[in-house]
């Protein structure tokens, strides 16, 4: 018995020592660690690599560091004409120093090239900080010493907060246009969508960079994140910063090995990284990660909404309507674009319309189609090309006949604007003028490759002031649409654009613009756009989500895009799908046509007035408070508004059941209004 007791004591000591060795002292498997924590989070930094993990304590979920190579960050460097990506965790020296209870300073000194050469003199200093007792972690790049090298970008942190495909059931959440969620798991997809999704994840199509505030492909808001079924993390970029976002959606990095003829050793993962431009010295390279137990894309958007309000981007539609009651005319309005050629051509053959024809269209819309609210946007009323939006074309009826059309819109409670643009001078214009172009310090023309954004932003206010006041006086306008100028937010001094926005805002009209960026929300009442465009188009392997409207629905009215109106079939669907998405997201209908097509638009206009407009009218001033995907194929969705309105739609070709057992037919909807009344129905294909 004594011998057995001695044996057990020796065995327990060996087990204890082995456990201690494996946990703290194994030089082969784990470096020493530095830890900071509060009651919400525990941040652990690997002192060898400088990479870190975050334990979110409420759900006990561990967000791991880079699962591929344990890299803290990737440095883009141009060396001898060649672009290389250096793993800063393999620097000759990595220092990790705890500063107080809630901060860790890191330095990555002399990173190493792939051939073993050392980038001497290059040093990157970063800091991790817990924000008081909150579930927030600040990650900041404090400084970058370039040495004698051409440093370009720094992805930091890299591959943090990733999701392993089909293991971590969740999604990457990206505010591209209205927004998308990219599931980290295989889900039902019909119509060949699964083929496209799975193929794309093994090619470069599901990885790349998106810029901030870029009209075509970029992000509309400076935040992104990932979530599992248990918890979420959203990264919000500092207001002064302009990083790109690197996305990797269920990709195993095979593209990194194709040139070698090798198979990737890495797992398929989804991650989103900030890419800091090293030469931008005036910005603060800071991203704050907020951890949200049981969080979804909705919680992420609401976290950013608080920041948007704090940063001054949010001015509510109620406030705007107090200053100009005509804003209320946007409630339930159908946005009617009437194309007559301008700005591309003046009096375009086959498409130009007279102002008497415009009057007939407006009258028919009210009297025959019974439309309650409309916003008419007429293209082709001037005798000059943009940016010279004057005079009103006499051949089409002149001021007298156009004013009759405007007076009709007032009579019916509608809005009207002609098409205006001050950012473009077109090559087919007889008065094409490169003197309006922006120029660099050497006097060379800039932006020569973009016909719609070639005019110096500092000259656009002068162009607007030259004629807009004349048109307002002549037609007694109540609204204005100014195209293009505010579609992007250039990475430069934007004083010229703000001057133009403030001038238009000072006219106290109902103001709209194409696309629009959040910086201009205080000056506008409606944006036309935020539509998903091709290349790169994340919706090809993801699902649309109303992220922008979850933040800004009650601050700016959103309508479809003239180049992707609801009456046309596109990557975004046909009229039925777009109409269902409009009531789900809280948007207005857009119908864009040339006058000879008006007869073919009538039925869609009537349906929009019956189905979409009542929902938009009730929810116009309301916050979009919730959105969820109910079915496994993401087709059945539900949204809720602060007005008390609830919308359920089925975007698919087969009936689906809600969690409560309600059946929603194929391409069907159920709207419960604030007074308890219910509107339900479905779109069907028919023929005669």
């Amino acid at each position: 018995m004594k011998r057995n007791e001695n044996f057990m004591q020796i065995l327990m000591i060996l087990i204890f020592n082995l456990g201690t060795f494996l946990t703290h002292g194994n030089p082969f498997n784990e470096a020493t660690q530095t830890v900071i924590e509060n009651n919400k989070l525990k941040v652990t930094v690997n002192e060898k690599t400088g990479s870190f993990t975050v334990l979110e304590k409420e759900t006990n979920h561990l967000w791991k560091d880079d699962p591929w190579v344990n890299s803290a960050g990737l440095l883009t460097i141009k060396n001898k004409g060649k672009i290389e990506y250096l793993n800063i965790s393999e620097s000759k020296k990595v220092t990790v120093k705890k500063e107080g209870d809630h901060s860790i300073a890191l330095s990555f000194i002399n990173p190493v090239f792939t051939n073993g050469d050392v980038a001497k003199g290059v040093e990157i200093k970063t800091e991790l900080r817990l924000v008081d007792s909150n579930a927030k972690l600040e990650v900041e790049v404090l400084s970058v010493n370039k040495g004698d090298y051409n440093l370009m970008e720094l992805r930091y942190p890299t591959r943090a907060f990733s999701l392993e495909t089909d293991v971590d059931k969740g999604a990457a959440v990206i505010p591209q246009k209205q927004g998308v969620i990219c599931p980290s798991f295989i889900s039902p997809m019909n119509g060949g969508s699964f083929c496209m999704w799975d193929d794309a994840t093994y090619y470069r199509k599901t990885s790349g960079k998106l810029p901030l505030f870029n009209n075509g492909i970029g992000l509309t808001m400076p935040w992104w994140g990932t979530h599992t079924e248990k918890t979420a993390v959203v990264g919000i970029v500092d207001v002064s910063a302009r990083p790109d976002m690197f996305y990797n959606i269920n990709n195993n990095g095979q593209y990194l090995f194709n040139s070698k003829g090798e198979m990737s050793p890495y797992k398929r993962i989804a991650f989103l990284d900030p890419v800091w431009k090293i030469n931008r010295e005036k910005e603060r390279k800071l991203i704050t990660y907020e951890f949200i137990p049981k969080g979804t894309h909705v919680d992420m958007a609401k976290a950013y909404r608080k920041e948007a309000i704090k940063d001054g981007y949010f001015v509510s539609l109620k406030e705007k309507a107090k200053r100009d009651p005509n804003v209320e005319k946007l409630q339930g309005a159908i946005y009617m674009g009437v194309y007559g050629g301008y700005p591309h051509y003046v009096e375009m053959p086959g498409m130009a319309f007279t102002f008497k024809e415009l009057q007939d269209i407006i009258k028919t819309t009210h009297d025959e189609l019974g439309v309650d609210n409309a916003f008419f946007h007429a293209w082709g009323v001037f005798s000059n090309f943009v940016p010279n939006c004057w005079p009103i074309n006499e051949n089409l009826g002149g001021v007298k006949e156009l004013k009759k059309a405007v007076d009709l819109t007032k009579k019916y409670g509608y809005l009207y604007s002609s098409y205006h643009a001050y950012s473009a001078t077109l090559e087919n214009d007889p008065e094409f003028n490169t003197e309006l172009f922006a120029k660099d310090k050497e006097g060379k023309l800039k932006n020569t490759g973009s016909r719609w954004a070639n005019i110096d932003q500092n000259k656009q206010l002068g162009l607007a002031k030259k004629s807009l006041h004349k048109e307002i006086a002549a037609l007694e306008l109540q609204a204005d649409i100014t195209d293009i100028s505010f579609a992007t937010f250039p990475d430069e001094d934007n004083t010229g654009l703000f001057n133009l926005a403030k001038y238009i805002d000072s006219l106290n009209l109902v103001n709209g613009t194409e696309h629009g960026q959040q910086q201009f929300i205080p000056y506008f009442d409606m944006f036309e756009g935020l539509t998903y465009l091709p290349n790169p188009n994340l919706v090809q392997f993801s699902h649309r989500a109303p992220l922008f409207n979850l933040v800004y629905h009650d601050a700016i009215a959103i309508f479809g895009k003239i180049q992707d109106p609801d009456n046309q079939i596109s990557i975004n669907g046909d009229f039925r799908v777009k109409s269902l998405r409009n009531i789900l997201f809280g948007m207005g209908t857009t119908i864009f046509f040339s006058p000879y097509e008006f007869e073919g638009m009538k039925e869609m206009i009537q349906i929009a007035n019956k189905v979409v407009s009542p929902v938009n009218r009730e929810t116009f001033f309301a916050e979009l408070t919730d959105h969820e995907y109910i079915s496994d194929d993401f087709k059945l969705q539900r949204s809720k508004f602060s007005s008390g309105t609830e919308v359920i739609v089925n975007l698919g070709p087969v009936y689906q059941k809600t969690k409560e057992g309600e059946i929603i037919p194929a391409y069907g909807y159920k709207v419960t209004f604030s007074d308890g009344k219910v509107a339900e129905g479905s779109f069907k294909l028919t023929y005669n």
Side-chain angles (χ1 to χ4, degrees):
M1 180 68 100
K2 181 92 171 175
R3 289 171 60 189
N4 286 343
E5 289 178 359
N6 290 339
F7 174 78
M8 291 301 296
Q9 288 176 353
I10 293 170
L11 182 61
M12 291 300 292
I13 291 171
L14 284 172
I15 292 172
F16 175 81
N17 287 337
L18 179 61
T20 302
F21 177 77
L22 290 174
T23 305
H24 300 288
N26 188 344
F28 303 102
N29 295 328
E30 190 168 320
T32 54
Q33 301 170 337
T34 299
V35 175
I36 53 175
E37 63 181 313
N38 59 21
N39 60 343
K40 300 288 182 65
L41 305 174
K42 179 181 179 181
V43 181
T44 303
V45 179
N46 183 312
E47 293 186 6
K48 181 181 178 181
T49 64
S51 60
F52 63 91
T53 64
V54 180
L55 176 68
E56 192 268 285
K57 293 184 177 181
E58 182 174 328
T59 62
N60 199 38
H61 180 82
L62 181 67
W63 291 102
K64 301 176 183 178
D65 57 357
D66 172 16
W68 285 357
V69 293
N70 301 112
S71 173
L74 295 173
L75 178 66
T76 306
I77 184 168
K78 190 172 185 180
N79 184 38
K80 299 177 182 178
K82 181 183 177 182
I83 302 294
E84 288 197 46
Y85 303 93
L86 279 60
N87 180 354
I88 64 173
S89 291
E90 295 179 353
S91 297
K92 282 297 181 180
K93 186 177 181 181
V94 176
T95 67
V96 179
K97 183 181 179 182
K98 187 172 181 179
E99 296 183 340
D101 293 332
H102 296 133
S103 181
I104 297 176
L106 302 97
S107 293
F108 303 88
I109 304 167
N110 297 336
V112 180
F113 290 97
T114 52
N115 66 357
D117 290 346
V118 178
K120 294 181 180 179
V122 174
E123 180 177 2
I124 300 164
K125 291 185 178 182
T126 69
E127 193 168 74
L128 310 179
R129 297 184 297 268
L130 290 173
V131 182
D132 301 322
S133 60
N134 299 320
K136 293 183 179 181
L137 173 66
E138 293 181 343
V139 179
E140 184 169 8
V141 179
L142 297 176
S143 66
V144 178
N145 190 330
K146 302 178 185 178
D148 295 326
Y149 293 90
N150 183 5
L151 307 186
M152 303 170 68
E153 297 176 339
L154 176 65
R155 272 174 57 191
Y156 182 84
T158 191
R159 305 187 192 107
F161 317 117
S162 65
L163 305 171
E164 184 178 347
T165 305
D166 281 332
V167 175
D168 300 313
K169 193 171 182 180
V173 179
I174 305 172
Q176 185 188 36
K177 296 301 177 182
Q178 258 293 338
V180 296
I181 66 150
C182 308
S184 59
F185 56 93
I186 292 173
S187 58
M189 286 176 268
N190 58 21
S193 295
F194 180 78
C195 303
M196 185 163 53
W197 178 88
D198 199 55
D199 289 347
T201 59
Y202 284 96
Y203 297 100
R204 194 64 194 263
K205 290 181 180 179
T206 53
S207 70
K209 287 191 301 185
L210 297 179
L212 267 175
F213 310 129
N214 177 281
N215 171 30
I217 63 172
L219 306 178
T220 51
M221 296 177 286
W223 64 271
W224 53 79
T226 50
H227 73 82
T228 69
E229 290 181 302
K230 294 199 306 181
T231 190
V233 56
V234 56
I236 299 176
V237 176
D238 185 75
V239 69
S240 69
R242 292 287 293 271
D244 290 344
M245 184 201 73
F246 186 93
Y247 62 92
N248 188 93
I249 308 301
N250 303 315
N251 197 302
N252 69 345
Q254 182 59 50
Y255 63 91
L256 299 171
F257 297 88
N258 285 340
S259 61
K260 304 174 186 177
E262 298 176 4
M263 296 298 293
S264 170
Y266 305 141
K267 297 177 179 178
R268 290 169 70 177
I269 57 175
F271 65 83
L272 308 171
D273 293 346
V275 184
W276 308 102
K277 305 297 178 62
I278 290 173
N279 290 330
R280 290 182 183 150
E281 297 177 352
K282 294 182 179 180
E283 71 177 11
R284 189 178 183 190
K285 295 176 174 59
L286 168 68
I287 183 168
T288 301
Y289 292 100
E290 181 173 348
F291 298 81
I292 310 170
K294 300 179 182 178
T296 67
H297 62 288
V298 175
D299 300 289
M300 294 182 192
K302 295 307 178 184
Y304 180 69
R305 178 181 167 95
K306 295 176 184 176
E307 293 297 317
I309 293 171
K310 185 182 74 174
D311 293 336
Y313 299 135
F314 190 98
V315 178
S316 74
L317 284 165
K318 285 184 178 179
E319 293 176 75
K320 294 170 182 177
K322 285 180 182 178
R323 193 187 79 168
D324 181 4
N326 283 320
V327 169
E328 295 180 7
K329 294 181 179 180
L330 289 172
Q331 284 184 269
I334 300 174
Y335 184 45
M336 306 269 280
V338 187
Y339 185 73
Y342 174 93
H344 304 83
Y345 296 93
V346 172
E347 297 181 41
M348 187 173 177
M351 302 182 81
F353 55 84
T354 67
F355 300 150
K356 286 186 177 180
E357 290 174 316
L358 179 60
Q359 293 167 31
D360 290 340
I361 290 172
I362 295 169
K363 195 172 189 302
T364 299
T365 299
H366 181 267
D367 294 352
E368 179 185 328
L369 305 183
V371 170
D372 303 295
N373 301 88
F375 189 166
F376 279 89
H377 183 193
W379 298 41
V381 305
F382 301 115
S383 57
N384 280 320
F385 289 75
V386 294
N388 299 301
C389 306
W390 190 259
I392 292 170
N393 196 317
E394 290 296 330
N395 295 334
L396 304 178
V399 171
K400 181 180 178 182
E401 293 300 326
L402 184 54
K403 188 174 185 303
K404 288 181 181 179
V406 175
D407 288 344
L408 275 176
T409 62
K410 291 180 179 179
K411 176 182 176 182
Y412 301 143
Y414 297 169
L415 292 169
Y416 169 88
S417 175
S418 308
Y419 175 94
H420 308 108
Y422 311 108
S423 68
T425 177
L426 306 185
E427 301 81 357
N428 56 302
D429 183 355
E431 298 182 16
F432 179 65
N433 182 9
T434 58
E435 288 301 313
L436 295 172
F437 279 41
K439 298 178 182 179
D440 62 20
K441 294 178 181 178
E442 297 175 353
K444 294 181 180 179
L445 299 181
K446 296 168 62 177
N447 302 328
T448 55
S450 174
R451 71 184 319 210
W452 291 109
N454 50 30
I455 292 179
D456 187 337
Q457 63 167 271
N458 294 308
K459 296 179 180 179
Q460 294 183 35
L461 174 59
L463 291 167
K465 283 187 171 182
K466 192 167 73 171
S467 59
L468 185 56
H469 66 286
K470 298 176 185 177
E471 185 189 359
I472 293 171
L475 302 177
E476 298 179 10
L477 295 177
Q478 295 178 334
D480 172 82
I481 300 290
T482 298
D483 201 12
I484 299 297
S485 289
F486 311 101
T488 61
F489 190 66
D491 186 16
E492 57 188 69
D493 181 5
N494 291 287
T495 303
L497 295 182
F498 280 109
N499 287 341
L500 177 60
K502 290 174 182 177
Y503 168 68
I504 295 171
D505 183 51
S506 72
L507 302 173
N508 205 31
L509 305 172
V510 178
N511 295 324
T513 188
E514 184 183 10
H515 297 291
Q517 298 292 345
Q518 65 172 18
Q519 289 81 358
F520 300 110
I521 286 177
Y523 311 104
F524 287 90
D525 307 302
M526 64 87 76
F527 286 167
E528 168 216 310
L530 298 182
T531 321
Y532 305 91
L533 302 173
N535 301 320
N537 194 343
L538 296 181
V539 296
Q540 291 177 329
F541 39 87
S542 60
H543 299 285
R544 295 164 179 82
L547 303 182
F548 194 87
N549 277 10
L550 282 164
V551 176
Y552 288 120
H553 181 268
D554 48 336
I556 191 82
I558 302 294
F559 292 84
K561 195 173 187 299
I562 289 293
Q563 286 85 353
D564 184 34
D566 297 333
N567 52 289
Q568 289 188 358
I569 298 172
S570 74
I571 190 174
N572 294 306
D574 56 14
F575 177 73
R576 56 186 176 171
V577 170
K578 291 177 180 178
S579 295
L580 291 170
R581 196 176 291 123
N582 284 341
I583 62 174
L584 181 74
F585 287 10
M587 301 191 301
T589 296
T590 298
I591 305 290
F592 189 44
F593 58 94
S594 289
Y596 74 89
E597 298 176 301
F598 180 57
E599 185 65 31
M601 301 296 116
K602 287 182 177 179
E603 185 176 12
M604 285 184 282
I605 292 170
Q606 286 179 310
I607 293 172
N609 187 60
K610 180 180 179 181
V611 176
V612 180
S613 291
V615 182
N616 185 261
R617 192 172 298 117
E618 178 167 285
T619 63
F620 183 78
F621 291 111
E623 178 185 352
L624 176 57
T625 56
D626 194 24
H627 170 262
E628 63 177 322
Y629 301 95
I630 302 174
S631 61
D632 290 339
D633 64 0
F634 295 84
K635 299 292 187 183
L636 191 65
Q637 301 178 38
R638 176 178 8 228
S639 58
K640 296 179 181 179
F641 297 83
S642 61
S643 57
T645 316
E646 179 179 292
V647 179
I648 304 174
V649 305
N650 180 359
L651 298 172
V654 62
Y655 79 85
Q656 301 246 26
K657 287 185 179 180
T658 67
K659 299 170 186 176
E660 298 78 21
E662 289 183 281
I663 293 177
I664 308 298
Y667 300 109
Y669 62 91
K670 178 181 179 181
V671 180
T672 305
F673 290 95
S674 58
D675 61 2
K677 292 182 180 178
V678 173
E680 52 189 330
S682 62
F683 290 87
K684 298 183 182 297
L685 293 175
T686 61
Y687 74 100
N688 292 324

